Amino acid sequence: MLEFEGLRVNATLQADVKALESMLAIDLVWVHASGKVDSKVSYIQNLAEKKARYKSMFIEESAARIYGNNVITNGILNFESISPDETIAANRVRFTCVYRKVEKKWQVISW
């Protein structure tokens, strides 16, 4: 699961829409540290349109708990976001991510 989480982080950093389409659940609820909430569509659209851009992103620590077809991970994510005026902001956030297995593959349902 932690390997999949790393792949998802890399897909976000690279704005890899194709990879994210399969990694994010249709009913995704993504709550940003700022309090902004995204759906799967808005999350991917913001990356594709470069409204959300990142210079770097890595998981400092993460632990997983498995409950059948559901997994909860908790950890710390470090990332540098790039604002519209090209200012780079360093961020370090604690996160909880919930995954579920759908048709033999994992998807993020909440972050």
Side-chain angles (χ1 to χ4, degrees):
M1 184 79 290
L2 299 180
E3 180 181 340
F4 178 82
E5 192 164 65
L7 293 172
R8 195 238 351 123
V9 166
N10 190 53
T12 299
L13 179 61
Q14 301 300 321
D16 185 342
V17 171
K18 184 177 178 181
L20 290 169
E21 281 288 344
S22 67
M23 294 175 155
L24 305 179
I26 191 67
D27 55 346
L28 172 74
V29 175
W30 192 282
V31 181
H32 297 268
S34 66
K36 178 185 174 208
V37 178
D38 272 319
S39 65
K40 176 180 182 173
V41 171
S42 63
Y43 184 85
I44 290 174
Q45 186 175 15
N46 286 336
L47 289 169
E49 295 176 358
K50 299 192 184 310
K51 291 179 182 175
R53 297 184 305 148
Y54 302 97
K55 180 179 178 184
S56 67
M57 185 176 292
F58 69 94
I59 296 171
E60 179 180 326
E61 69 180 53
S62 186
R65 292 172 287 151
I66 301 170
Y67 302 98
N69 286 332
N70 298 292
V71 174
I72 299 171
T73 61
N74 300 98
I76 298 173
L77 177 73
N78 291 283
F79 64 96
E80 292 177 301
S81 55
I82 306 170
S83 68
D85 69 358
E86 301 300 319
T87 302
I88 297 172
N91 301 274
R92 183 176 187 260
V93 297
R94 288 204 169 269
F95 68 87
T96 297
C97 188
V98 182
Y99 298 87
R100 79 169 166 231
K101 191 179 279 187
V102 178
E103 298 178 6
K104 299 183 181 182
K105 66 180 182 176
W106 291 103
Q107 292 187 320
V108 178
I109 60 173
S110 183
W111 200 93

